[in-house]
Amino acid sequence: MNDKNAVMMEKSELMKLVDITPYANNPRKNDRAIEPVMNSIREFGFNQPIVVDKDHVIIVGHTRYLAALELGLEEVPVYVAAHLSEEQARAYRLADNKTNELSEWDAGLLELELDAVEDLDMSDYGFEDDDVELDIPKDSKDDSESLETQEYMKFAGHNVPMSDYEVELLEKKLNEYTDEAGTAYGFVRHILEE
């Protein structure tokens, strides 16, 4: 990284929406994300600034801008990245969207986090009931090897996520059962009858 570009954002400033210009050639289609972002702003506040160039053209944050318009906000937090050249702003705009696209969910941890949210309807923010299942490989032969940080148990055509604690507990119970029975046969029935 070039040291002159290693600028840390010190603070955002409030800027009127009428003074912000959307980037005309923005290649991202934001329509589906506007309502969930509006819901997020309503519930949690406007916590992530829009990033604009020195001419106040949006680099990052088109969806937040559109959501703010829909909500009737007059001003929003903005960070002016005046240190970026026109080419850097264009590249950053693309890189920000692409790097978000490359991220993946850890299905097991996502399920735990969604289950822990009891008082909010996460569908308001774009989550669907089958989001957890979508990220688990359906044709994986050995899910524990294909997903580095999550153990899965193949059961009835499903990949069932297991926490480290659950894996340890299951291994301990299996070892106890095989020590006593001399075989793993019947282990599942034993667990179900407990």
Side-chain angles (χ1 to χ4, degrees):
M1 180 194 300
N2 190 333
D3 287 339
K4 71 176 185 169
N5 293 328
V7 177
M8 297 298 292
M9 182 172 76
E10 292 181 17
K11 64 178 184 175
S12 60
E13 59 187 72
L14 287 177
M15 186 177 289
K16 291 184 178 181
L17 278 176
V18 296
D19 295 333
I20 300 171
T21 305
Y23 180 61
N25 292 331
N26 181 29
R28 292 289 285 193
K29 297 179 181 179
N30 308 78
D31 294 346
R32 287 182 51 215
I34 295 171
E35 187 174 349
V37 171
M38 287 170 55
N39 293 335
S40 177
I41 292 169
R42 277 192 203 105
E43 182 68 34
F44 312 115
F46 207 117
N47 297 309
Q48 188 175 3
I50 294 171
V51 180
V52 298
D53 65 16
K54 63 185 181 328
D55 298 317
H56 300 174
V57 176
I58 298 175
I59 300 174
V60 175
H62 284 86
T63 309
R64 291 189 296 281
Y65 169 81
L66 294 170
L69 281 177
E70 289 289 323
L71 290 169
L73 301 180
E74 292 185 19
E75 54 185 19
V76 293
V78 168
Y79 172 67
V80 181
H83 64 285
L84 296 179
S85 70
E86 185 177 333
E87 181 181 22
Q88 287 174 321
R90 179 175 278 116
Y92 175 38
R93 186 179 292 115
L94 294 170
D96 183 71
N97 283 300
K98 188 62 178 177
T99 54
N100 283 330
E101 195 179 283
L102 296 172
S103 298
E104 296 178 4
W105 292 102
D106 179 311
L109 293 177
L110 174 60
E111 184 175 23
L112 290 173
E113 289 298 304
L114 288 172
D115 286 347
V117 177
E118 296 177 357
D119 297 329
L120 296 172
D121 182 354
M122 293 305 289
S123 67
D124 290 344
Y125 314 107
F127 285 94
E128 302 297 331
D129 289 339
D130 58 356
D131 274 344
V132 174
E133 294 175 16
L134 292 176
D135 289 290
I136 301 171
K138 303 246 186 270
D139 58 349
S140 176
K141 292 181 180 164
D142 184 355
D143 296 311
S144 63
E145 288 180 10
S146 68
L147 298 172
E148 297 167 11
T149 60
Q150 183 69 49
E151 293 284 340
Y152 288 84
M153 178 175 62
K154 189 100 168 161
F155 178 73
H158 297 279
N159 294 312
V160 180
M162 298 171 60
S163 69
D164 289 342
Y165 172 74
E166 290 169 325
V167 170
E168 287 176 28
L169 188 62
L170 193 57
E171 285 177 342
K172 180 180 175 187
K173 286 186 176 275
L174 177 60
N175 289 336
E176 289 171 357
Y177 180 82
T178 54
D179 285 348
E180 187 175 313
T183 179
Y185 184 78
F187 175 66
V188 173
R189 184 175 53 242
H190 170 74
I191 292 289
L192 294 174
E193 290 174 353
E194 277 190 341

